[in-house]
Amino acid sequence: GKHRIVIPCLGHFKEEYEKVSKLYMNNKIRTTRYTLLNFLPRNLYEQFHRVANLYFLFLVVLNWVPVVEAFQKEITMLPLIGVLTIIAVKDGLEDYSRYRMDKQINNLVTKVYSR
């Protein structure tokens, strides 16, 4: 197998360190669920796994059928859009706080002791 090279004091070994370190994964912590690109689709996917949201979506779709239309189309969409927006904002704020905590932990200065 591969052997790991540990260079405790970079100094003039910086080039060698950069060449060797590309072979290994970093040890950064990432506890966030979302990125900027996947926030909206992943959040909607998670929210529509809740039965209540599926029920309101069913009512919205059913109300677009002219024979069954009970309310104005826009009125039936308001509860669903409101709930989805509030939960998305809450999830986004929670994930952003996780991102800040991860960034703080990943930037901590550590000490390495050798014998």
Side-chain angles (χ1 to χ4, degrees):
K2 292 184 178 180
H3 297 285
R4 184 169 179 168
I5 300 172
V6 178
I7 305 169
C9 180
L10 293 179
H12 56 279
F13 294 110
K14 187 170 184 167
E15 291 177 14
E16 183 180 351
Y17 170 75
E18 290 174 354
K19 183 173 58 173
V20 171
S21 66
K22 292 178 184 176
L23 300 174
Y24 300 101
M25 295 290 294
N26 62 17
N27 62 346
K28 289 187 177 183
I29 295 172
R30 182 175 180 264
T31 59
T32 57
R33 285 188 289 186
Y34 307 110
T35 63
L36 288 176
L37 295 176
N38 74 0
F39 176 75
L40 189 61
R42 189 166 182 184
N43 188 271
L44 288 175
Y45 175 76
E46 289 176 5
Q47 287 193 43
F48 282 116
H49 275 88
R50 297 183 179 121
V51 177
N53 291 342
L54 287 175
Y55 172 73
F56 283 116
L57 180 65
F58 174 72
L59 288 180
V60 168
V61 171
L62 192 62
N63 206 32
W64 282 87
V65 177
V67 177
V68 187
E69 183 178 347
F71 306 107
Q72 292 179 352
K73 296 172 185 159
E74 296 81 14
I75 291 177
T76 55
M77 292 172 50
L78 287 177
L80 180 64
I81 291 173
V83 167
L84 294 179
T85 303
I86 290 170
I87 294 174
V89 168
K90 178 191 69 82
D91 288 346
L93 291 175
E94 286 177 356
D95 209 54
Y96 182 69
S97 67
R98 278 192 225 110
Y99 167 76
R100 285 191 327 201
M101 186 63 76
D102 292 346
K103 191 173 181 179
Q104 182 181 8
I105 290 172
N106 288 330
N107 291 327
L108 285 176
V109 175
T110 58
K111 293 182 181 180
V112 177
Y113 294 100
S114 62
R115 297 182 189 178

